[in-house]
Amino acid sequence: MVSINRFVSAIAISVVFLTPLSLYASTEKYVESFAVRDVRLTESPFKHAQDLDICYLLGLDADRLLAPYLREAGLSPKAESYPNWENSGLDGHIGGHYLSAMAYMYASTGNEEISYRLDYMLGELKRCQDASVDGYIGGVPGSKRIWTEISEGKIDANGFGLNGAWVPLYNIHKIYAGLRDAYLQAGRETARDMLVKLADWMLRLTSGLTDSQIQDMLISEHGGLNEIFADVAAITGDDRYIGLARRFSHRVLLEPLIAREDRLTGMHANTQIPKVIGFKRIADLAHDRQWDEASEYFWHTVVGNRSVSIGGNSVCEHFHPSDDFGSMLSSEQGPETCNTYNILRLTKMLYETSGDPRYMDYYERAIYNHILSSQNPVQGGFVYFTPMRPGHYKVYSQPQTSFWCCVGSGMENHARYGETIYSHRGDSLYVNLFIPSILKWGDAVIEQRNAFPFEESTTIVIDETYGKEDFTLFMRCPGWTDRDGVEVTLNGSPFDVRIDNGYICVKREWSRGDSLTVSLPMSLRAERIPDSSSYYSFVYGPLVLAANIGKERLDGLFADEGRGSHVAKGPMIGLDEIPAVISDRNDLLNHFEPDGQKPLSFRLRGLSLPKYEGMILEPFFGLHECRYMVYWPVYTESEWISVKEELGIDEQRKLAIEEITADKVVCGEQQPESDHFVTMEKSSAGDDDGRHWRVASGWFAYKMSTKGSVVKRLRVTFRPEARRDAIVFIDGNELCRFASTSPDMIVSQEFEIPQKLIDGKDKIELRVSRCDMKSTPHVYELRLLAE
């Protein structure tokens, strides 16, 4: 347990550096969340995750993270860059996340080693900014050429690139955010000065661009730059930055949201979510109800219609159709951790301006079941995709090899748990989450003690009051609990309370040592997947339950330096080989019985495959380094008889192709194309109800790998269209041509690859070009097949 005296001392020290948060606050907040510096976690799974995160942060070499910045500033790096995304085009993006993570971690814990590392990073980055003269800081490779071209109005943007670079605006957004957080969370005035200079650099860079040119530029993923510029406006009081924030707000996403139109299908999910955070931030500062409602509509659309039970969303990083979760259940690339990191940030903002506890119901669901589960509880590695495909598994980062976006947001996630546990409004204190912790509220010190969720209650203890003796305590009465079963005791005696707007309300004159205990009865529920197909997950209280179904072939469980090493590449278990629950859908919960061996675990009976009968379901956040099931197919006896043979045939066909695939790229999907180093000329991408394609009146090309296999054939999936054809080259040598006059039918064709074209090669360039017609067909997928 954290010492109260040590905690108060740490707070007193850190406050010296901090500018009042009113500069950063929304102008119309209903409740104000406490800063993380006001909260200290005590023993719980969240505290364990926080401690592991400190080890992860301190295990990284700051000089290797700084190398791209020094290189671009014309200074000599002190160490070589890290590998993976950090030396293949997105150089420097982790450095910004690292600043944010350390700022939050120092504010959350007072850890002096973190503080020293934060100051060292800022000092080196200031050297870079000073050397650049114009205020720029960044690790984007070849940045001077890129920014010069943009300032001159030469803009060549696509979803994953800008002027030949891998999402440079997304990249520099991370350093903007890191500087902001170093100032606002850790009180570093140097970071404030650096942030404003970097914002001024962008003002100058874009001053000669029209709004239309900036909108063209925003086609490329750019993180939440609009939010950053709004924050700079709040910090400085200078309206020029609000103007810049509005200019950097992408109208292609904003305008449909204002019209309450869901056009998200096929969009790259984590490109959109930070934009909406920016819309909300601008709305709060500018009292813009229209932008506020657009942000709210987006949240309800994503969380209500496009998310699974763990709180995550997206398949292969893109929004799938809201009425078809089939790809979610079949893909090894399920919800992305970055998405939930950003949705949680938006959730916090919406909660603060509404006070609606239902936002906290979602927040709680997501941090327990997605965020907490995305960190390995032993070595601290982070997860990119959390597959919902039954029987698949997660891959964990390693500190010296893995530098994906979800490593960056992962560093931050476990440093930020304290920011939403408590909030306040005037003399009222709100308890939103049941995470053991100590709160310093002005002169008062209040502790929350519990073993939640392993015990169904929480206790608030008044350790010190100092002038806040008379206040109202609002404790969230979560949507998952039985309100009739809620019991409250004060100092051991039953105490009558009222439930108001989703909160248990206790107004009294408090005394030191007062102890208020609230019971929160939990029960088991079956939740159907949102498209109403026959898949269910099972939830106990706020906890999604899952089953460990084995540890076979966890290939690449701990990621190496490879560009695609964040994807679990072990063999998929056929959906005909995973257990289904054979039951009437109204009788599902009668198939469960408490396990009795450990808390929160249940045995499941009535399964289609006898070897799985009586398997144990337990909280998903505790399952690691194994294959698992979160979603379960449910069939009646008669449905199972009719579906099992057809399911087996379909799965065997799909898995047979996967088994002989050496490499594949889904055309038009942002990350798979980036991982295959896409290049192009006169090419564009799109999607048909979430299925992505690429087309070209010029050409497009990928670097593909044989993975040491003897590759025999190329499989091309495309949509034949009249007056469209294509020619395919391997390393400049013609391989095949394809065309058809039978439109509107997606087909797959296979072409033999002469061994002389690929003998001895691990990497090849596969180029698709138009042939005699004006354009290629829509190409969906390219696969190299081995035997």
Side-chain angles (χ1 to χ4, degrees):
M1 182 178 295
V2 173
S3 162
I4 297 287
N5 291 333
R6 280 181 55 204
F7 171 65
V8 174
S9 176
I11 294 301
I13 291 169
S14 65
V15 161
V16 172
F17 300 103
L18 290 164
T19 297
L21 282 177
S22 59
L23 290 178
Y24 181 55
S26 162
T27 53
E28 292 186 349
K29 284 190 176 180
Y30 181 84
V31 292
E32 183 84 40
S33 295
F34 285 93
V36 292
R37 68 177 183 271
D38 296 325
V39 180
R40 291 289 183 267
L41 303 188
T42 57
E43 193 60 38
S44 73
F46 297 99
K47 178 65 162 59
H48 176 74
Q50 184 184 76
D51 290 343
L52 270 181
D53 197 24
I54 292 174
C55 294
Y56 203 99
L57 291 170
L58 294 177
L60 292 171
D61 185 336
D63 286 325
R64 296 190 73 180
L65 292 174
L66 286 162
Y69 297 93
L70 291 162
R71 179 197 68 218
E72 292 302 309
L75 303 174
S76 297
K78 299 178 180 179
E80 65 177 354
S81 295
Y82 272 117
N84 195 240
W85 292 16
E86 277 292 298
N87 71 355
S88 57
L90 210 54
D91 311 36
H93 80 294
I94 291 293
H97 280 295
Y98 193 60
L99 279 182
S100 291
M102 289 192 298
Y104 272 94
M105 191 63 81
Y106 174 61
S108 296
T109 66
N111 185 290
E112 290 301 328
E113 289 181 78
I114 293 289
S115 177
Y116 172 81
R117 185 73 63 88
L118 175 61
D119 287 336
Y120 179 76
M121 287 285 293
L122 288 172
E124 291 295 288
L125 289 168
K126 186 176 187 306
R127 282 210 303 134
C128 295
Q129 191 173 51
D130 291 345
S132 296
V133 180
D134 60 0
Y136 174 68
I137 317 171
V140 177
S143 53
K144 290 184 179 178
R145 173 193 63 81
I146 295 163
W147 305 129
T148 298
E149 289 178 356
I150 288 172
S151 70
E152 294 171 350
K154 300 172 185 175
I155 295 168
D156 179 16
N158 54 59
F160 48 81
L162 179 62
N163 288 45
W166 185 6
V167 290
L169 292 175
Y170 168 92
N171 191 334
I172 65 168
H173 166 254
K174 309 312 167 198
I175 193 64
Y176 273 111
L179 293 171
R180 174 200 61 193
D181 294 338
Y183 170 57
L184 290 172
Q185 303 303 326
R188 277 15 185 207
E189 289 287 343
T190 299
R192 179 193 187 280
D193 295 341
M194 294 164 68
L195 173 65
V196 174
K197 286 179 181 177
L198 189 57
D200 288 342
W201 166 81
M202 184 62 80
L203 272 172
R204 292 191 299 272
L205 183 81
T206 58
S207 62
L209 301 182
T210 65
D211 288 345
S212 177
Q213 286 174 312
I214 287 184
Q215 291 299 307
D216 286 345
M217 185 169 64
L218 297 182
I219 293 169
S220 179
E221 186 177 7
H222 53 275
L225 283 174
N226 55 348
E227 180 205 11
I228 292 294
F229 300 137
D231 288 342
V232 176
I235 289 167
T236 63
D238 189 334
D239 287 344
R240 291 181 305 155
Y241 303 112
I242 275 287
L244 188 62
R246 286 194 182 272
R247 294 191 83 196
F248 269 79
S249 293
H250 200 195
R251 310 296 298 194
V252 168
L253 178 64
L254 176 62
E255 289 170 2
L257 295 178
I258 289 174
R260 303 184 73 80
E261 296 175 1
D262 179 358
R263 298 186 191 172
L264 299 180
T265 297
M267 285 187 168
H268 186 259
N270 200 48
T271 296
Q272 315 315 320
I273 305 168
K275 298 176 189 176
V276 180
I277 294 172
F279 300 161
K280 173 61 175 167
R281 184 70 177 116
I282 294 165
D284 288 349
L285 290 173
H287 304 278
D288 192 321
R289 186 60 188 161
Q290 191 178 56
W291 285 36
D292 183 67
E293 290 176 351
S295 307
E296 206 176 321
Y297 173 74
F298 175 86
W299 187 93
H300 284 286
T301 298
V302 172
V303 171
N305 303 335
R306 297 179 178 275
S307 297
V308 289
S309 59
I310 65 168
N313 62 75
S314 82
V315 178
C316 300
E317 305 192 7
H318 293 74
F319 287 125
H320 54 78
S322 59
D323 60 355
D324 184 0
F325 277 62
S327 58
M328 177 71 75
L329 297 169
S330 62
S331 177
E332 80 284 17
Q333 299 179 41
E336 180 186 352
T337 306
C338 277
N339 296 9
T340 302
Y341 159 88
N342 277 312
I343 281 286
L344 286 172
R345 294 191 63 233
L346 179 60
T347 303
K348 176 177 179 282
M349 296 169 79
L350 290 166
Y351 167 69
E352 288 176 335
T353 53
S354 69
D356 190 335
R358 290 173 295 184
Y359 286 116
M360 285 295 107
D361 282 352
Y362 167 76
Y363 200 103
E364 178 182 57
R365 174 74 70 97
I367 62 167
Y368 268 107
N369 301 294
H370 196 184
I371 300 303
L372 198 56
S373 75
S374 70
Q375 182 199 53
N376 186 292
V378 176
Q379 56 86 250
F382 306 117
V383 171
Y384 196 118
F385 293 124
T386 299
M388 291 293 100
R389 180 186 174 95
H392 219 55
Y393 64 99
K394 300 176 286 190
V395 169
Y396 303 95
S397 67
Q398 297 191 77
Q400 308 305 316
T401 68
S402 313
F403 294 91
W404 328 307
C405 53
C406 295
V407 168
S409 58
M411 294 175 185
E412 296 183 44
N413 280 328
H414 310 288
R416 300 176 68 138
Y417 288 128
E419 68 179 350
T420 47
I421 300 174
Y422 308 100
S423 54
H424 61 95
R425 175 181 171 86
D427 287 332
S428 296
L429 174 66
Y430 291 75
V431 180
N432 300 312
L433 299 173
F434 314 121
I435 296 177
S437 50
I438 299 168
L439 167 70
K440 187 170 188 296
W441 180 23
D443 293 325
V445 179
I446 297 165
E447 184 174 4
Q448 183 173 188
R449 301 173 184 170
N450 63 50
F452 187 86
F454 304 101
E455 294 179 1
E456 301 178 354
S457 66
T458 191
T459 297
I460 300 297
V461 177
I462 310 300
D463 285 303
E464 302 287 351
T465 53
Y466 297 130
K468 286 196 179 292
E469 291 85 356
D470 186 8
F471 66 87
T472 302
L473 177 69
F474 289 89
M475 181 172 290
R476 182 172 62 93
C477 189
W480 46 259
T481 198
D482 175 9
R483 291 189 177 184
D484 292 335
V486 171
E487 296 179 351
V488 179
T489 62
L490 178 65
N491 300 327
S493 300
F495 190 78
D496 288 334
V497 297
R498 75 180 196 279
I499 297 177
D500 182 17
N501 192 31
Y503 281 91
I504 298 162
C505 306
V506 181
K507 180 176 175 59
R508 63 179 268 106
E509 188 171 302
W510 300 88
S511 300
R512 180 177 181 179
D514 276 351
S515 175
L516 184 83
T517 298
V518 179
S519 69
L520 299 164
M522 296 195 284
S523 59
L524 188 64
R525 306 184 308 285
E527 291 187 355
R528 198 169 192 171
I529 203 162
D531 67 357
S532 297
S533 60
S534 59
Y535 277 82
Y536 289 77
S537 67
F538 300 100
V539 185
Y540 189 72
L543 305 175
V544 174
L545 304 178
N548 176 341
I549 67 167
K551 296 179 179 290
E552 296 79 15
R553 292 292 306 275
L554 303 178
D555 300 3
L557 180 66
F558 297 101
D560 59 21
E561 297 178 5
R563 273 287 289 268
S565 64
H566 55 287
V567 181
K569 293 183 173 60
M572 296 181 182
I573 298 175
L575 295 182
D576 59 323
E577 297 177 12
I578 58 103
V581 183
I582 308 304
S583 172
D584 183 283
R585 289 174 180 81
N586 296 321
D587 194 40
L588 274 173
L589 298 185
N590 288 328
H591 289 261
F592 288 83
E593 60 185 33
D595 170 50
Q597 300 299 311
K598 53 184 177 179
L600 307 177
S601 62
F602 298 83
R603 289 191 178 273
L604 177 57
R605 309 285 185 186
L607 299 177
S608 60
L609 301 175
K611 71 175 182 178
Y612 292 112
E613 185 68 14
M615 68 190 317
I616 295 174
L617 276 71
E618 57 190 291
F620 180 56
F621 76 76
L623 283 183
H624 291 277
E625 300 180 33
C626 67
R627 292 177 180 268
Y628 55 81
M629 285 186 65
V630 169
Y631 274 96
W632 300 74
V634 175
Y635 301 104
T636 64
E637 289 277 6
S638 59
E639 287 172 339
W640 178 240
I641 291 170
S642 64
V643 79
K644 63 180 177 180
E645 184 174 351
E646 180 182 341
L647 180 64
I649 294 170
D650 188 45
E651 279 298 293
Q652 289 170 19
R653 178 181 59 80
K654 291 177 181 176
L655 294 181
I657 292 293
E658 292 293 338
E659 190 173 342
I660 63 172
T661 297
D663 196 9
K664 69 175 180 180
V665 59
V666 180
C667 304
E669 281 193 358
Q670 182 168 326
Q671 200 55 54
E673 290 199 320
S674 292
D675 287 341
H676 289 85
F677 301 95
V678 65
T679 53
M680 70 190 76
E681 184 177 284
K682 298 179 181 177
S683 177
S684 61
D687 73 279
D688 299 324
D689 293 325
R691 186 166 189 179
H692 290 82
W693 47 258
R694 180 162 290 286
V695 67
S697 58
W699 55 268
F700 56 93
Y702 306 105
K703 296 289 186 183
M704 300 190 73
S705 175
T706 63
K707 306 284 177 64
S709 303
V710 179
V711 172
K712 297 287 190 180
R713 302 185 305 281
L714 171 69
R715 179 184 174 97
V716 182
T717 301
F718 65 101
R719 188 178 73 210
E721 298 169 85
R723 301 189 61 78
R724 294 192 181 210
D725 62 4
I727 182 169
V728 181
F729 299 90
I730 290 181
D731 290 335
N733 300 294
E734 181 177 337
L735 172 67
C736 60
R737 301 181 182 213
F738 57 92
S740 176
T741 57
S742 302
D744 300 326
M745 293 177 60
I746 297 175
V747 299
S748 294
Q749 289 187 10
E750 295 183 9
F751 303 94
E752 294 293 326
I753 300 177
Q755 288 305 295
K756 66 180 182 180
L757 295 184
I758 58 173
D759 269 351
K761 296 179 180 178
D762 180 56
K763 299 282 187 183
I764 61 171
E765 183 193 68
L766 201 64
R767 179 179 293 223
V768 179
S769 175
R770 73 176 180 88
C771 189
D772 299 320
M773 303 300 177
K774 291 184 178 180
S775 175
T776 68
H778 288 183
V779 181
Y780 295 90
E781 184 181 84
L782 299 169
R783 287 179 184 254
L784 296 179
L785 301 181
E787 289 184 358

